[in-house]
């Protein structure tokens, strides 16, 4: 389903059981610990973890930079898949995103750990390239590394 | 949930049982008979009637006018509710709509007929006004009248 001309995809082995990775995703107090590359900080402003539920993160950096990302969960399949978009906000309302994207996160068992796939869909090649040039692979790669560390630390 | 500054809403009594109204909505061969004000014609290019399924209509008028409306079903609750948006297309991909909107259609029993609510959500007041000025209430009102006629004709 992923289209290399429009999408950006990262597939990683995460050395933590799938249940722990899911736990790190499904609790906003845990999610904020790994959601953006440190030392940037995440504030979770909405986390209604169901199809049609608001998902709003606000990130801020030590240099005063900010990134406001309101959006919506489109699909939540426990321990398997989360789909989120910036194109809609609470109540399915059309949004005005700084970048139109849909993130599809897939979890599968792989040995004693988790095969984690993060795919970001865009409307066209220009948006894909813009996102890649902003440092998508570094940024989302660090997020996954942080996700692994947090998942491993869960009791 | 409807916000009068951002949304356009029509509430009508449809003189046909809810099961017939649902039937007229859920079958693309029937939907095309009432979807746009005649003599404009509707071609249903995609109708995957489930959450995340493509919904694409293409309308053409006798004067050569055309309106292309790719989109996605966000929620389908049998006999109760259909939610559709122009902000996403097949596979949850961000779209490039000529007008960003989410349509929420609600069916409820009312006497021997159906209380039919059609609500169109926009991202801001400018889009709401643009849609209203394009003749939203006339257009969607005629659609509902046509929907009633088609629902009444079903065996």
């Amino acid at each position: 389903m992923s289209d290399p001309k429009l999408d950006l995809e990262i597939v990683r082995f995460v050395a933590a059981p799938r249940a722990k990775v899911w736990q790190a995703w499904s609790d906003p107090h845990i999610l904020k610990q790994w959601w953006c590359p440190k030392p940037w900080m995440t504030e979770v402003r909405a986390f209604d973890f169901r199809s049609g539920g608001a998902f709003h993160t606000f990130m801020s950096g030590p240099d005063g930079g900010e990134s406001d990302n309101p959006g919506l969960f489109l699909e939540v399949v426990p321990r398997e898949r989360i789909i989120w978009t910036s194109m809609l906000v609470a109540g399915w309302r059309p949004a005005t995103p700084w970048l139109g994207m849909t993130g599809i996160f897939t979890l599968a068992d792989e040995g004693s750990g988790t095969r984690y796939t993060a795919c970001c869909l865009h409307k066209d090649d220009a948006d894909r390239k813009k996102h890649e040039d902003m440092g998508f692979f570094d940024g989302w790669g660090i997020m996954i590394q942080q996700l692994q560390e947090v998942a491993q630390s869960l009791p």
Side-chain angles (χ1 to χ4, degrees), chain A:
Chain A
M1 306 239 286
S2 174
D3 180 339
K5 285 176 66 176
L6 300 175
D7 306 335
L8 297 168
E9 188 173 67
I10 299 181
V11 183
R12 287 278 179 85
F13 174 76
V14 172
R18 185 147 64 118
K20 299 287 189 197
V21 176
W22 182 259
Q23 189 184 343
W25 234 113
S26 56
D27 182 334
H29 301 289
I30 304 176
L31 176 122
K32 65 178 288 188
Q33 298 172 30
W34 62 265
W35 185 251
C36 72
K38 293 172 185 171
W40 278 58
M41 303 278 283
T42 301
E43 180 190 332
V44 181
R45 296 188 167 178
F47 193 87
D48 186 7
F49 201 45
R50 62 181 175 88
S51 172
F55 178 42
H56 183 177
T57 57
F58 182 87
M59 298 169 233
S60 52
D63 58 353
E66 293 180 341
S67 178
D68 191 20
N69 294 273
L72 204 70
F73 289 115
L74 296 168
E75 203 173 84
V76 176
V77 182
R79 299 174 61 157
E80 283 187 22
R81 188 168 59 250
I82 297 151
I83 306 180
W84 165 87
T85 192
S86 67
M87 296 293 284
L88 299 167
V89 289
W92 304 109
R93 183 175 301 285
T96 50
W98 60 268
L99 183 70
M101 57 180 141
T102 295
I104 302 181
F105 305 89
T106 311
L107 283 64
D109 291 327
E110 184 172 326
S112 59
T114 305
R115 185 179 180 85
Y116 186 83
T117 304
C119 184
C120 191
L121 280 53
H122 306 89
K123 70 179 188 296
D124 55 27
D125 179 64
D127 270 12
R128 182 201 57 76
K129 187 170 187 316
K130 176 181 171 185
H131 204 182
E132 186 170 1
D133 292 346
M134 284 175 61
F136 169 86
F137 286 106
D138 278 353
W140 286 41
I142 293 169
M143 282 169 69
I144 297 172
Q145 179 62 34
Q146 293 178 169
L147 166 60
Q148 174 176 275
E149 288 162 13
V150 167
Q152 287 173 343
S153 76
L154 293 173

